[in-house]
Amino acid sequence: MSRGVLLMALAISLFAVMNLTVKLLPNIPAVELVFFRSLISLLISWVTLKSKSIPVLGKTENRKFLLLRGLCGALALVMYFYTLQVMPLASAVTFMFLAPVFTAILGTIIIKENVAPWQWLFFGMAFCGILIIQGVDERITLHQAALGVGGALLSGLAYNFIKKVNTSEHPLVIVFYFPLVTLPLTGAYVAFHWVQPQGIEWAYLLLLGVLTQFAQYFMTMAYQADEISKVASVQYLGIIFALGIGYFVFGETFDRMTYVGMSVVLLGVLLNLWYKRRTVVKVLK
C-alpha cells in the first residue's frame, strides 16, 4: 500500500470522527463551529510553521490562489457542517461526494484539464443519485439538498485552487491559509450571533478543531505524495464510517431507495476515478 493511500485513509478516519463531533453539537450554529475550528487550526498551524522555520505566508505568487481557496473552503465548510447537523449523517457525507465531480468540471476552466465524453456520463450518474436521495428521503428538504450541492461545488473550487499551488507550497502553508481567511469571515458573524457552548460542548469544540487540523494536513500530504486518482478513491471509505456512526450512535436508518441513491452517487464518482486512472496509464504506455 502506497504512502499516499495510507495518509488518505488516516485523514478520512479523522474526518469521520470530526463529523461525529459536529453531529453532537446541534445547538451551536454551523458558522460558530467553523469559527472555533478555524481558531484552533490557525493557532496550531502558526506554531508548527514557526517551529519548522517555514515562511508563514508562503510564496507571493501563490497568495491569490491560497486566499481564494480559503474563501471557497470557508463557505463550503459552513454549508457542510449545517447539512451534518440537519440531515442524516450518511446523506450529508454523500452530498459532499459530489465535490470530486465539481473539481473535474471546474478543472476544465481553472487548470485546463480535459474531461472525456464518458466522464460526463459518470457525472450525470452521480447527480441522478442525489436526486433519488432527495426525492425519497422526506427528512431532506430541497433547501438542505441545495446547500449540500452548493457545499460540494465550493469544495470543488477550493480543490482546484489547491492544485494550482500543490507542488510549490508546503502542506502546512496551504492548511494555514484556510483559517487565516475563515476566521475573520466567521468571526464577524459570531460577534453578533454568539451562542454560548455548555459543559461538554467545549470539549467537542476543541476536539473538532484538532481533528480537522490533522485531517486536512494528512489529506494535503496524501495528494502531494501520490497520484490524485489513486488516493482520491480512498475518500469513499467515509460513507462506510458515516453509515456505521449514524446507525450505532444516532439510530439512523434508510429505506432501500435511499441506499440505491447513495450507491449510484458512489458508482458515478468511482467510475470517473477509474476512467481517469485508466486513461493516464494508457498515455504513459
Short mmCIF file of all heavy atoms in Angstrom, two decimals, residues 1 5 8 13 77 98 102 109 165 169 188 194 199 212 230 285:
data_model
loop_
_atom_site.label_atom_id
_atom_site.label_comp_id
_atom_site.label_asym_id
_atom_site.label_seq_id
_atom_site.Cartn_x
_atom_site.Cartn_y
_atom_site.Cartn_z
N MET A 1 0.85 -1.20 0.00
CA MET A 1 0.00 0.00 0.00
C MET A 1 0.89 1.25 0.00
O MET A 1 1.82 1.34 0.78
CB MET A 1 -0.92 0.00 1.22
CG MET A 1 -2.01 1.05 1.17
SD MET A 1 -3.14 0.95 2.59
CE MET A 1 -3.93 -0.61 2.28
N VAL A 5 -1.90 6.54 -0.10
CA VAL A 5 -3.14 5.86 0.27
C VAL A 5 -3.26 5.77 1.78
O VAL A 5 -4.35 5.99 2.35
CB VAL A 5 -3.18 4.45 -0.37
CG1 VAL A 5 -4.31 3.62 0.21
CG2 VAL A 5 -3.33 4.57 -1.88
N MET A 8 -4.20 9.15 3.19
CA MET A 8 -5.59 9.49 2.93
C MET A 8 -6.52 8.68 3.84
O MET A 8 -7.52 9.21 4.35
CB MET A 8 -5.94 9.24 1.47
CG MET A 8 -7.39 9.59 1.11
SD MET A 8 -7.82 11.32 1.46
CE MET A 8 -7.10 12.14 0.03
N SER A 13 -10.34 8.77 8.37
CA SER A 13 -10.71 8.31 9.71
C SER A 13 -10.91 9.49 10.64
O SER A 13 -11.87 9.53 11.43
CB SER A 13 -9.64 7.37 10.26
OG SER A 13 -9.47 6.24 9.44
N LEU A 77 -17.40 24.78 4.02
CA LEU A 77 -17.42 24.12 5.32
C LEU A 77 -18.64 24.51 6.14
O LEU A 77 -19.22 23.68 6.85
CB LEU A 77 -16.14 24.46 6.09
CG LEU A 77 -15.86 23.61 7.33
CD1 LEU A 77 -15.73 22.13 6.95
CD2 LEU A 77 -14.60 24.08 8.05
N LEU A 98 -20.03 14.77 -4.11
CA LEU A 98 -20.10 15.43 -5.42
C LEU A 98 -18.90 16.36 -5.65
O LEU A 98 -18.68 16.80 -6.77
CB LEU A 98 -21.39 16.26 -5.53
CG LEU A 98 -22.70 15.50 -5.72
CD1 LEU A 98 -23.86 16.48 -5.77
CD2 LEU A 98 -22.67 14.65 -6.98
N PHE A 102 -17.45 18.14 -9.20
CA PHE A 102 -17.30 19.57 -9.47
C PHE A 102 -15.82 19.94 -9.67
O PHE A 102 -15.51 20.84 -10.45
CB PHE A 102 -17.90 20.39 -8.33
CG PHE A 102 -19.40 20.42 -8.31
CD1 PHE A 102 -20.11 19.91 -7.24
CD2 PHE A 102 -20.10 20.95 -9.38
CE1 PHE A 102 -21.51 19.94 -7.22
CE2 PHE A 102 -21.49 20.98 -9.39
CZ PHE A 102 -22.19 20.47 -8.31
N ILE A 109 -11.91 24.61 -16.65
CA ILE A 109 -11.79 26.07 -16.80
C ILE A 109 -10.58 26.61 -16.06
O ILE A 109 -9.80 27.40 -16.60
CB ILE A 109 -13.06 26.76 -16.25
CG1 ILE A 109 -14.30 26.25 -16.98
CG2 ILE A 109 -12.94 28.28 -16.36
CD1 ILE A 109 -15.61 26.69 -16.36
N VAL A 165 -1.31 25.34 -6.58
CA VAL A 165 -0.10 25.56 -5.78
C VAL A 165 0.40 24.25 -5.17
O VAL A 165 1.26 24.26 -4.29
CB VAL A 165 -0.36 26.58 -4.65
CG1 VAL A 165 -0.76 27.92 -5.24
CG2 VAL A 165 -1.45 26.10 -3.68
N GLU A 169 4.07 24.70 -2.65
CA GLU A 169 3.90 25.16 -1.28
C GLU A 169 3.95 23.99 -0.31
O GLU A 169 3.53 22.88 -0.64
CB GLU A 169 2.57 25.90 -1.11
CG GLU A 169 2.51 27.26 -1.78
CD GLU A 169 3.33 28.33 -1.09
OE1 GLU A 169 4.00 28.04 -0.07
OE2 GLU A 169 3.32 29.47 -1.59
N ALA A 188 -16.92 37.75 12.21
CA ALA A 188 -17.83 38.88 12.05
C ALA A 188 -19.27 38.46 12.31
O ALA A 188 -20.06 39.21 12.90
CB ALA A 188 -17.69 39.46 10.64
N TRP A 194 -23.67 35.13 18.75
CA TRP A 194 -22.97 34.19 19.62
C TRP A 194 -23.95 33.30 20.38
O TRP A 194 -24.94 33.77 20.93
CB TRP A 194 -22.11 34.96 20.60
CG TRP A 194 -21.47 34.12 21.68
CD1 TRP A 194 -21.88 33.98 22.98
CD2 TRP A 194 -20.30 33.29 21.55
NE1 TRP A 194 -21.05 33.13 23.66
CE2 TRP A 194 -20.07 32.69 22.81
CE3 TRP A 194 -19.44 33.01 20.49
CZ2 TRP A 194 -19.01 31.83 23.05
CZ3 TRP A 194 -18.37 32.15 20.72
CH2 TRP A 194 -18.18 31.57 21.98
N GLY A 199 -20.99 23.10 29.03
CA GLY A 199 -20.41 21.86 29.53
C GLY A 199 -19.55 21.11 28.54
O GLY A 199 -18.54 21.62 28.04
N THR A 212 -9.86 18.27 12.68
CA THR A 212 -9.88 18.80 11.32
C THR A 212 -8.52 19.33 10.90
O THR A 212 -8.15 19.23 9.72
CB THR A 212 -10.93 19.91 11.16
OG1 THR A 212 -10.78 20.86 12.21
CG2 THR A 212 -12.34 19.35 11.22
N LYS A 230 -5.37 7.82 -7.50
CA LYS A 230 -5.16 6.69 -6.61
C LYS A 230 -5.64 6.99 -5.19
O LYS A 230 -6.34 6.19 -4.58
CB LYS A 230 -3.66 6.32 -6.58
CG LYS A 230 -3.37 5.07 -5.74
CD LYS A 230 -1.88 4.81 -5.61
CE LYS A 230 -1.30 4.39 -6.94
NZ LYS A 230 0.13 4.00 -6.80
N LYS A 285 1.88 4.50 -21.25
CA LYS A 285 2.38 3.38 -22.04
C LYS A 285 2.74 3.83 -23.46
O LYS A 285 3.59 3.27 -24.11
CB LYS A 285 1.32 2.27 -22.11
CG LYS A 285 1.18 1.49 -20.81
CD LYS A 285 0.13 0.42 -20.95
CE LYS A 285 -0.01 -0.40 -19.68
NZ LYS A 285 -1.03 -1.46 -19.79
#
